[in-house]
Short mmCIF file of all heavy atoms in Angstrom, two decimals:
data_model
loop_
_atom_site.label_atom_id
_atom_site.label_comp_id
_atom_site.label_asym_id
_atom_site.label_seq_id
_atom_site.Cartn_x
_atom_site.Cartn_y
_atom_site.Cartn_z
N THR A 1023 -74.27 119.12 -199.84
CA THR A 1023 -73.28 118.32 -199.11
C THR A 1023 -71.96 119.08 -199.00
O THR A 1023 -71.33 119.11 -197.93
CB THR A 1023 -73.06 116.98 -199.84
OG1 THR A 1023 -74.31 116.33 -200.02
CG2 THR A 1023 -72.14 116.08 -199.04
N LEU A 1028 -67.92 122.33 -195.88
CA LEU A 1028 -67.11 123.54 -195.77
C LEU A 1028 -67.52 124.40 -194.58
O LEU A 1028 -66.66 124.93 -193.86
CB LEU A 1028 -67.21 124.36 -197.07
CG LEU A 1028 -66.56 123.74 -198.31
CD1 LEU A 1028 -66.80 124.61 -199.52
CD2 LEU A 1028 -65.06 123.54 -198.09
N GLU A 1070 -57.85 103.45 -188.52
CA GLU A 1070 -57.28 103.01 -189.79
C GLU A 1070 -56.51 104.12 -190.49
O GLU A 1070 -55.59 103.85 -191.27
CB GLU A 1070 -58.40 102.50 -190.71
CG GLU A 1070 -58.97 101.16 -190.32
CD GLU A 1070 -57.90 100.08 -190.27
OE1 GLU A 1070 -57.12 99.97 -191.24
OE2 GLU A 1070 -57.84 99.36 -189.27
N VAL A 1117 -24.93 131.30 -199.36
CA VAL A 1117 -24.63 130.23 -198.39
C VAL A 1117 -25.94 129.63 -197.87
O VAL A 1117 -26.09 128.41 -197.77
CB VAL A 1117 -23.79 130.78 -197.22
CG1 VAL A 1117 -23.72 129.76 -196.08
CG2 VAL A 1117 -22.39 131.12 -197.69
N ALA A 1126 -32.09 120.07 -196.94
CA ALA A 1126 -33.37 119.51 -197.36
C ALA A 1126 -33.25 118.02 -197.62
O ALA A 1126 -34.20 117.26 -197.42
CB ALA A 1126 -33.87 120.22 -198.62
N GLY A 1130 -36.11 116.66 -194.55
CA GLY A 1130 -37.44 116.59 -195.13
C GLY A 1130 -38.46 117.48 -194.45
O GLY A 1130 -39.64 117.43 -194.76
N LEU A 1142 -28.28 129.79 -187.33
CA LEU A 1142 -26.88 129.81 -187.77
C LEU A 1142 -26.53 131.04 -188.59
O LEU A 1142 -25.44 131.62 -188.42
CB LEU A 1142 -26.58 128.55 -188.59
CG LEU A 1142 -26.60 127.21 -187.83
CD1 LEU A 1142 -26.57 126.05 -188.82
CD2 LEU A 1142 -25.43 127.13 -186.87
N PHE A 1180 -48.69 112.71 -198.79
CA PHE A 1180 -49.43 112.73 -200.04
C PHE A 1180 -49.49 111.34 -200.67
O PHE A 1180 -50.54 110.91 -201.18
CB PHE A 1180 -48.79 113.71 -201.02
CG PHE A 1180 -49.40 113.67 -202.40
CD1 PHE A 1180 -50.61 114.31 -202.66
CD2 PHE A 1180 -48.79 112.97 -203.43
CE1 PHE A 1180 -51.19 114.26 -203.93
CE2 PHE A 1180 -49.36 112.91 -204.70
CZ PHE A 1180 -50.57 113.55 -204.94
N ALA A 1194 -38.91 112.14 -208.29
CA ALA A 1194 -39.41 113.20 -209.17
C ALA A 1194 -39.22 114.58 -208.57
O ALA A 1194 -39.26 115.58 -209.30
CB ALA A 1194 -40.90 112.96 -209.46
N LEU A 1200 -34.20 121.52 -207.00
CA LEU A 1200 -33.02 122.28 -207.41
C LEU A 1200 -33.41 123.54 -208.18
O LEU A 1200 -32.76 124.59 -208.07
CB LEU A 1200 -32.10 121.39 -208.26
CG LEU A 1200 -31.48 120.18 -207.55
CD1 LEU A 1200 -30.69 119.33 -208.53
CD2 LEU A 1200 -30.58 120.64 -206.40
N ILE A 1208 -31.10 133.39 -208.30
CA ILE A 1208 -31.23 134.48 -209.28
C ILE A 1208 -31.91 135.70 -208.65
O ILE A 1208 -31.48 136.85 -208.84
CB ILE A 1208 -32.03 134.00 -210.51
CG1 ILE A 1208 -31.23 132.92 -211.26
CG2 ILE A 1208 -32.35 135.16 -211.45
CD1 ILE A 1208 -32.03 132.19 -212.32
N ALA A 1240 -21.82 114.40 -193.11
CA ALA A 1240 -23.14 115.04 -193.15
C ALA A 1240 -23.75 114.94 -194.54
O ALA A 1240 -24.94 114.65 -194.70
CB ALA A 1240 -23.02 116.51 -192.73
N VAL A 1255 -32.80 99.35 -202.74
CA VAL A 1255 -32.17 98.73 -201.57
C VAL A 1255 -33.11 98.77 -200.38
O VAL A 1255 -33.17 97.83 -199.58
CB VAL A 1255 -30.84 99.44 -201.24
CG1 VAL A 1255 -30.19 98.83 -199.99
CG2 VAL A 1255 -29.88 99.38 -202.42
N VAL A 1263 -35.63 105.17 -191.42
CA VAL A 1263 -34.90 104.54 -190.31
C VAL A 1263 -33.40 104.66 -190.53
O VAL A 1263 -32.64 105.00 -189.61
CB VAL A 1263 -35.31 103.06 -190.17
CG1 VAL A 1263 -34.52 102.40 -189.05
CG2 VAL A 1263 -36.80 102.93 -189.92
N ALA A 1266 -32.31 108.23 -189.70
CA ALA A 1266 -32.26 108.52 -188.27
C ALA A 1266 -31.05 107.85 -187.61
O ALA A 1266 -30.34 108.47 -186.82
CB ALA A 1266 -33.56 108.08 -187.60
N LEU A 1271 -25.54 108.00 -185.34
CA LEU A 1271 -24.18 107.47 -185.25
C LEU A 1271 -23.13 108.53 -185.58
O LEU A 1271 -22.11 108.65 -184.90
CB LEU A 1271 -24.03 106.27 -186.20
CG LEU A 1271 -24.82 105.01 -185.84
CD1 LEU A 1271 -24.66 103.94 -186.91
CD2 LEU A 1271 -24.40 104.48 -184.47
N MET A 1274 -22.93 111.12 -182.69
CA MET A 1274 -22.39 110.65 -181.42
C MET A 1274 -20.98 110.07 -181.54
O MET A 1274 -20.16 110.24 -180.63
CB MET A 1274 -23.32 109.61 -180.80
CG MET A 1274 -24.70 110.14 -180.47
SD MET A 1274 -25.67 109.04 -179.42
CE MET A 1274 -24.85 109.27 -177.85
N MET A 1312 -65.75 110.15 -195.86
CA MET A 1312 -67.09 110.72 -196.03
C MET A 1312 -67.21 111.47 -197.36
O MET A 1312 -68.26 111.46 -198.00
CB MET A 1312 -67.42 111.68 -194.88
CG MET A 1312 -67.73 110.98 -193.57
SD MET A 1312 -68.96 109.66 -193.72
CE MET A 1312 -70.32 110.52 -194.51
N MET A 1340 -56.62 123.83 -210.16
CA MET A 1340 -56.35 123.13 -208.90
C MET A 1340 -55.23 123.82 -208.12
O MET A 1340 -55.28 123.89 -206.88
CB MET A 1340 -55.99 121.67 -209.19
CG MET A 1340 -57.17 120.84 -209.69
SD MET A 1340 -56.87 119.06 -209.76
CE MET A 1340 -55.74 118.98 -211.17
N PHE A 1364 -58.97 116.11 -205.30
CA PHE A 1364 -58.29 116.34 -206.58
C PHE A 1364 -57.94 115.07 -207.34
O PHE A 1364 -57.95 115.06 -208.57
CB PHE A 1364 -57.00 117.14 -206.35
CG PHE A 1364 -57.22 118.59 -206.07
CD1 PHE A 1364 -56.20 119.36 -205.51
CD2 PHE A 1364 -58.41 119.22 -206.39
CE1 PHE A 1364 -56.39 120.71 -205.27
CE2 PHE A 1364 -58.61 120.57 -206.14
CZ PHE A 1364 -57.60 121.31 -205.58
N VAL A 1368 -57.60 114.25 -211.35
CA VAL A 1368 -56.29 113.97 -211.98
C VAL A 1368 -56.37 112.70 -212.83
O VAL A 1368 -55.90 112.67 -213.97
CB VAL A 1368 -55.20 113.84 -210.88
CG1 VAL A 1368 -53.91 113.31 -211.46
CG2 VAL A 1368 -54.97 115.19 -210.21
N VAL A 1408 -36.79 138.44 -185.40
CA VAL A 1408 -37.20 139.44 -186.37
C VAL A 1408 -38.72 139.52 -186.30
O VAL A 1408 -39.39 138.50 -186.08
CB VAL A 1408 -36.75 139.04 -187.80
CG1 VAL A 1408 -37.17 140.10 -188.82
CG2 VAL A 1408 -35.25 138.84 -187.86
N VAL A 1417 -40.26 138.24 -197.64
CA VAL A 1417 -40.40 136.96 -198.33
C VAL A 1417 -41.04 137.09 -199.71
O VAL A 1417 -40.91 136.20 -200.56
CB VAL A 1417 -41.23 135.98 -197.45
CG1 VAL A 1417 -42.73 136.24 -197.58
CG2 VAL A 1417 -40.92 134.53 -197.80
N TRP A 1418 -41.74 138.20 -199.98
CA TRP A 1418 -42.53 138.31 -201.20
C TRP A 1418 -41.76 138.07 -202.50
O TRP A 1418 -42.20 137.28 -203.34
CB TRP A 1418 -43.26 139.67 -201.26
CG TRP A 1418 -44.48 139.69 -200.41
CD1 TRP A 1418 -44.64 140.32 -199.21
CD2 TRP A 1418 -45.72 139.01 -200.65
NE1 TRP A 1418 -45.90 140.08 -198.69
CE2 TRP A 1418 -46.58 139.29 -199.56
CE3 TRP A 1418 -46.18 138.20 -201.69
CZ2 TRP A 1418 -47.87 138.79 -199.48
CZ3 TRP A 1418 -47.48 137.71 -201.61
CH2 TRP A 1418 -48.30 137.99 -200.53
N LEU A 1431 -43.19 124.75 -214.53
CA LEU A 1431 -43.33 123.29 -214.56
C LEU A 1431 -44.70 122.88 -215.10
O LEU A 1431 -44.84 121.82 -215.72
CB LEU A 1431 -43.15 122.72 -213.15
CG LEU A 1431 -41.76 122.92 -212.51
CD1 LEU A 1431 -41.75 122.39 -211.09
CD2 LEU A 1431 -40.67 122.27 -213.34
N VAL A 1440 -39.27 114.05 -217.50
CA VAL A 1440 -38.07 113.46 -218.11
C VAL A 1440 -37.03 113.07 -217.06
O VAL A 1440 -36.60 111.91 -217.01
CB VAL A 1440 -37.47 114.41 -219.16
CG1 VAL A 1440 -36.12 113.89 -219.65
CG2 VAL A 1440 -38.43 114.57 -220.34
#
Side-chain angles (χ1 to χ4, degrees):
T1023 306
L1028 291 177
E1070 287 302 312
V1117 168
L1142 293 168
F1180 173 79
L1200 295 176
I1208 294 169
V1255 179
V1263 178
L1271 293 176
M1274 298 193 73
M1312 286 310 306
M1340 290 190 288
F1364 284 163
V1368 169
V1408 181
V1417 81
W1418 281 106
L1431 297 176
V1440 172

